[in-house]
Amino acid sequence: MRQELLSRFFTYVKVDTQSNESNEQCPSTPGQLTLGRMLVEELKAIGMSDVTVDDNGYVMATLPANTDKDVKTIGFMAHLDTATDMTGAGVNPQVVENYDGGDIVLNEAQRIILSPSEFPELPGYKGHTLVTTDGTTLLGADDKAGMTEIMTAMAYLIAHPEIKHGKIRVAFTPDEEIGRGAHRFDVDAFGATYAYTMDGGPLGELQYESFNAAGAKITIQGKNVHPGTAKNKMINALKIAIELNSKLPANEAPEHTEGYEGFFHLMALEGDVEQASLRYIIRDHNRDLFNGRKERLSSIVQELQAQYGEGRIQLEMKDQYYNMGEKIEPVKEVVDIAHEAMVNLGITPIVEPIRGGTDGSQLSFKGLPTPNIFTGGMNYHGRYEYVSVDHMELAVKTIVEIVRLYEAKA
């Protein structure tokens, strides 16, 4: 299985599928459609049925049931795109066999090193086969590791018909990294009772709670006057932006929070004296606290509008997704079976909230309860990203065990 995993993974990561938030088309980049069409051909080749890809890049396929039992239809999903934080072009994955627990030189010429001194979890992977970047791009394990694991699990089930299972649906979605992965996903056409996104990180992650999320953009109109004659005339948009940000609690930012703690995150501050803009994301697991955060930002803007003039400061704020735990908790079976599957394989489940969101956040509110499962990747979205092939193998086995348990319990 190991060589099969590596071969698929290397093929997928070499396709540049970085999404583009500034492009409103779906998919937002052509590489995603290229990879989607590659997957269509591979799905057909391994023996999947009902294989489709639509104009928006959503890939779906079916593994028919091989049992007479009435078993719930279960889905497995991964996303085609890679993050916007770092380039996904020219990915050159490096294989580290039997990792010794020490420094890994990613790029000798640029002196880029993956070191336990900065990433203290690394010695825990001693003896593993790791795949790293070459230090100049991200790796794309988020979520091409998940994609690889789903494809490999389907191929395994087809090759082992003695493992009984109900109908299984798979899907690969575009533009998850820019929050649009579920926007055009046809839940009715997918036809699953439950689904799982293979989009988590370290071994054992099992997540069914996510943030409630909103995005905010604040535009400030200043008044630029020559500084020599600016007294009582100039209105400095940048200074108002700094003043606005200072009114938010400094300790409620991503760099100071963990677990269920929410935050305000300043994503961008741009401008000059004449005009400035700020972009925030607002996050909290608790819906009431989430609403309170939005109200707090609104009240700060209103306070500054009263001080500087309402027309000078404009706030645009929009909800992005909600805590999928609200929809999954009433059907906890979907989590319990994944938990049992991991335990059966000797994996210790790590049931923690996602400090972010996945396609499952939106899909759960569209009527498809969708928890998130580990892929074995670490340090997503940057040059220090890596994945354990040993844990990818366990992710494949987890998928197989989940579908086996649904059939066994039917």
Side-chain angles (χ1 to χ4, degrees):
M1 181 186 292
R2 179 159 298 200
Q3 283 307 122
E4 184 181 357
L5 282 166
L6 283 170
S7 177
R8 281 198 173 96
F9 185 62
F10 275 43
T11 298
Y12 302 158
V13 300
K14 290 181 179 180
V15 182
D16 180 10
T17 60
Q18 185 178 38
S19 46
N20 178 6
E21 192 170 14
S22 65
N23 185 2
E24 293 300 323
Q25 292 181 328
C26 181
S28 65
T29 50
Q32 296 182 67
L33 199 53
T34 298
L35 181 55
R37 288 170 177 158
M38 289 169 57
L39 290 167
V40 164
E41 296 308 311
E42 187 179 355
L43 286 161
K44 291 176 180 177
I46 66 172
M48 298 288 282
S49 304
D50 306 324
V51 183
T52 61
V53 58
D54 67 16
D55 292 340
N56 295 310
Y58 289 85
V59 177
M60 294 186 185
T62 300
L63 180 59
N66 66 356
T67 179
D68 294 330
K69 289 185 179 181
D70 184 15
V71 184
K72 293 181 175 70
T73 299
I74 304 303
F76 294 91
M77 304 173 62
H79 59 85
L80 296 161
D81 63 321
T82 59
T84 60
D85 307 66
M86 192 171 191
T87 182
V91 172
N92 181 31
Q94 312 293 308
V95 178
V96 180
E97 299 277 5
N98 194 24
Y99 170 54
D100 63 9
D103 287 353
I104 300 173
V105 178
L106 302 179
N107 192 301
E108 187 171 3
Q110 298 185 33
R111 298 182 181 180
I112 300 170
I113 298 172
L114 180 63
S115 173
S117 65
E118 294 182 288
F119 302 100
E121 79 284 350
L122 271 167
Y125 291 90
K126 187 174 181 179
H128 286 223
T129 296
L130 302 182
V131 182
T132 73
T133 75
D134 68 357
T136 64
T137 70
L138 50 66
L139 179 61
D142 179 11
D143 189 23
K144 290 168 182 173
M147 186 183 303
T148 300
E149 291 153 4
I150 292 169
M151 293 293 292
T152 304
M154 294 305 107
Y156 185 87
L157 288 166
I158 290 167
H160 292 82
E162 70 276 10
I163 301 172
K164 299 303 178 185
H165 56 80
K167 181 179 178 180
I168 302 168
R169 291 282 277 161
V170 301
F172 304 111
T173 63
D175 292 334
E176 188 270 353
E177 294 289 359
I178 55 175
R180 304 179 200 160
H183 284 190
R184 304 189 192 192
F185 187 84
D186 190 335
V187 169
D188 292 335
F190 194 53
T193 304
Y194 306 133
Y196 298 90
T197 48
M198 301 299 297
D199 193 20
L203 178 69
E205 275 193 347
L206 174 56
Q207 300 159 320
Y208 69 95
E209 297 176 278
S210 62
F211 277 135
N212 296 288
K217 181 179 180 180
I218 301 165
T219 305
I220 302 167
Q221 187 64 48
K223 184 191 293 183
N224 196 8
V225 178
H226 189 287
T229 57
K231 185 174 181 180
N232 298 326
K233 297 176 184 177
M234 178 185 285
I235 300 174
N236 191 323
L238 283 173
K239 286 187 175 180
I240 296 174
I242 293 167
E243 181 181 359
L244 187 154
N245 189 67
S246 71
K247 291 180 179 293
L248 291 169
N251 63 336
E252 295 180 19
E255 59 267 36
H256 301 300
T257 55
E258 62 184 358
Y260 285 94
E261 296 170 332
F263 56 74
F264 301 93
H265 180 33
L266 178 61
M267 298 280 288
L269 169 58
E270 301 170 328
D272 51 27
V273 174
E274 186 73 19
Q275 188 176 69
S277 66
L278 306 95
R279 285 195 301 114
Y280 287 93
I281 59 172
I282 301 163
R283 301 289 189 262
D284 212 297
H285 287 93
N286 180 284
R287 183 74 78 103
D288 290 337
L289 294 177
F290 171 63
N291 289 333
R293 289 185 182 281
K294 292 189 292 180
E295 290 168 5
R296 184 167 191 170
L297 184 60
S298 295
S299 67
I300 290 170
V301 169
Q302 289 167 9
E303 176 188 339
L304 292 173
Q305 284 173 335
Q307 181 177 345
Y308 293 104
E310 184 172 347
R312 294 201 176 277
I313 306 172
Q314 300 296 324
L315 168 64
E316 300 173 40
M317 186 157 51
K318 184 178 181 180
D319 288 356
Q320 296 168 320
Y321 56 83
Y322 301 108
N323 185 348
M324 63 189 184
E326 293 181 27
K327 298 298 182 181
I328 294 177
E329 192 69 48
V331 288
K332 193 73 177 306
E333 169 191 28
V334 66
V335 177
D336 294 340
I337 286 181
H339 191 283
E340 183 177 346
M342 291 185 195
V343 170
N344 289 352
L345 294 168
I347 301 167
T348 301
I350 304 170
V351 184
E352 295 178 343
I354 304 171
R355 287 186 58 79
T358 69
D359 280 345
S361 303
Q362 296 179 52
L363 291 171
S364 294
F365 279 85
K366 293 179 76 169
L368 180 61
T370 309
N372 190 44
I373 291 175
F374 73 93
T375 63
M378 290 291 291
N379 301 338
Y380 287 161
H381 296 194
R383 71 180 79 245
Y384 298 104
E385 185 181 0
Y386 64 93
V387 65
S388 163
V389 181
D390 303 63
H391 290 172
M392 289 178 73
E393 289 179 328
L394 288 171
V396 173
K397 292 177 181 179
T398 299
I399 294 171
V400 172
E401 182 66 3
I402 285 172
V403 300
R404 189 195 70 78
L405 284 172
Y406 274 102
E407 196 277 341
K409 293 173 180 290

